Amino acid sequence: MNIIKCVDKAYEKLNFIELADAPVSALQGVSAKDAEVLNKAFHVKTIRDFGMLKFVKWAAAIATLAEQVESEEDKAKETLLDDALEMSFPSSDPISVNSGITRIEVAPEMVEASSDHQNSMAIEPPNKS
């Protein structure tokens, strides 16, 4: 963006710090009368005041975010995706390492290793003498 296209000719050579302190009427398209109205309504005197005005920030944020949403269909898809994620991963559930296990409701009973192991027949029972 060329800053020269944003300010009146008299302000083209100023640096950004000087421009920020310039009157709001230094912006191209903002007349002295417009600047007077801004001053009365919002106490805006400089470009800095105008840029820091919370309403200007809100409007810029809304406009920027609105550009990201392409259509009603995209909004609907995004809502469905958000809902699906919310149902799939409630914040109270731990993240599962194994995709087959998502929640353990009741801990399994302890299994005797000597009978449940793949080589259980190779294990000799302890001597009870």
Side-chain angles (χ1 to χ4, degrees):
M1 171 194 225
N2 191 340
I3 201 67
I4 293 173
K5 295 181 179 184
C6 300
V7 297
D8 290 339
K9 191 124 180 107
Y11 298 93
E12 288 179 356
K13 303 248 188 237
L14 298 181
N15 63 41
F16 288 116
I17 295 171
E18 294 167 330
L19 276 175
D21 294 327
V24 73
S25 60
L27 294 170
Q28 282 192 10
V30 179
S31 68
K33 187 176 179 180
D34 295 335
E36 188 178 316
V37 171
L38 284 169
N39 188 15
K40 283 184 183 176
F42 302 110
H43 306 290
V44 169
K45 295 179 182 171
T46 65
I47 293 174
R48 183 187 317 272
D49 294 340
F50 189 55
M52 298 304 288
L53 192 63
K54 67 181 177 182
F55 306 110
V56 171
K57 289 181 178 183
W58 292 347
I62 290 167
T64 300
L65 291 170
E67 290 175 4
Q68 302 305 311
V69 179
E70 294 176 14
S71 68
E72 289 298 319
E73 182 183 349
D74 289 337
K75 284 192 261 184
K77 286 178 183 177
E78 185 176 351
T79 301
L80 288 172
L81 183 60
D82 287 345
D83 291 346
L85 270 171
E86 193 66 33
M87 290 186 321
S88 300
F89 299 105
S91 60
S92 62
D93 288 353
I95 297 173
S96 174
V97 174
N98 180 346
S99 64
I101 300 172
T102 56
R103 179 186 288 184
I104 300 173
E105 295 293 335
V106 179
E109 294 295 324
M110 190 69 147
V111 181
E112 181 64 41
S114 64
S115 63
D116 191 47
H117 191 269
Q118 64 184 1
N119 293 320
S120 63
M121 302 312 238
I123 300 173
E124 294 182 24
N127 207 358
K128 294 186 181 182
S129 31

